[in-house]
Amino acid sequence: RIPLLNTSCHTYIPDKKMKVLGLFLLVLPSVSAFSPLGWCGDLGVRRLTTASLAARVQGASKHFVLHGSPSGWRAAHLQTKQSGVRRGVAGINMGGDPGDMIFSQESECGAGSVQVWERDFEEEAGKVMRTLWFSGSPEVWQSAVVLNKEDSVPDFKRAPTFHSCKGLALAAALPPSVKNILLIGLGGGALAGWLLENHAELERLVACDLDPAVAVAAQRCFLGSYGEDSRLEIHVGDGVEYAKQDDAGKFDLIIVDASESAETGSDDGAAALGVWAPPRVLRTVACYQALREVMNENGVLAVNVLARDPIDMLDYISLVNASFPGRIAFLENRDGSHSWMVTPDNKIVFAACSSAATFLNEEGMADRVLAYQEHVPASKDLELSARVRKEFTTVDNLCDRAQQLRVYRSNHKL
């Protein structure tokens, strides 16, 4: 949370009554603005949540102001803390050398060239790691899969490498069943492979990607025999449009893990890599209305979202809320792989079709995870119980953070 500091707190007030008066003068404007109160000094940085603030936040989470156009939004920016790129994720440091490039094909979606690199997997002998990159966004891994070095068979029993991919895998624990899944954004197929390997009841997994080069890379370099699995359908094109025309049955789970690059500037004016996740084509009210219509009554939506800050995140959530009113929860997406970047607000967003969904609070989601681990033993490697305990949050928390940011900007004239 962004601390809200009032420099007047640094004034030394020896008299106890004067201290009370000073505190009252601080509380008054904070309460009137419905903003969290922050003060510093011997007390440290603290936050006071008043009853009126709680009421306002609760109301805000139920009555979003919808944006008719995303033109006012800004792409989230990723900026390295040091020159060059130290390619590392989840404790695995690529050391600036991703290995040998084994695949390259020009993107048809403006991402530069789609590349696959291979290097020895340091954590286990006899294994290699293949990573998917776009030359247009060299600081960002798009996917990573561990394979046997001898025969290039992917090891999908192993938990996905990316923290975000593990969070999206949690979505499979939330519906009553996962027989029919739509995945928008195939990437290297790490999530698709893990779902196919570990869910025997899965009957159909439809994976859509806008870029033909990405689909070729996934099938040729990552999926192995899973690329020919009868349960997997790979389609090149708009996943939402495909789902609207699909007549094979409604989906139990829809996962959106797609992004697009965009040039942008950071808040300090420096050049930075801009990222839209999900892409702008998936940032409309109509998009989520369409997805809701192709889901069954107990269906679940999961989206990997990058936003510039909590305010922009709240704006994005308003689009989802229009079709899933009040039925939204989040996991914060933070792990060691983010320490090398100045990162934007990143969350895994879950939305439920049914108002009776039990995972919309922390206890309910934890219960679903425990049941899932019994049903899918491999999911224990995802460390989902720890993630729910550490990273679960709600719309109300996001409203709170956005309000703090607004007040902070106002106080500092940013």
Side-chain angles (χ1 to χ4, degrees), residues 40-44 46:
C40 57
D42 293 340
L43 295 176
R46 300 187 181 182

Side-chain angles (χ1 to χ4, degrees), residues 79-87 96 138-139 340-341:
Q79 183 179 4
T80 56
K81 291 183 177 179
Q82 55 190 357
S83 58
V85 178
R86 183 171 71 83
R87 292 169 170 171
E139 287 127 331
W340 66 285
M341 282 183 176

Side-chain angles (χ1 to χ4, degrees), residues 32 117 143 172 183 235 251 269 282-283 298 312 361 375 397-398:
S32 63
W117 293 72
S143 196
L183 176 59
H235 298 275
F251 294 99
L282 300 178
R283 288 174 175 249
N298 293 311
D312 283 358
N361 58 67
H375 181 61
N397 297 130
L398 182 58

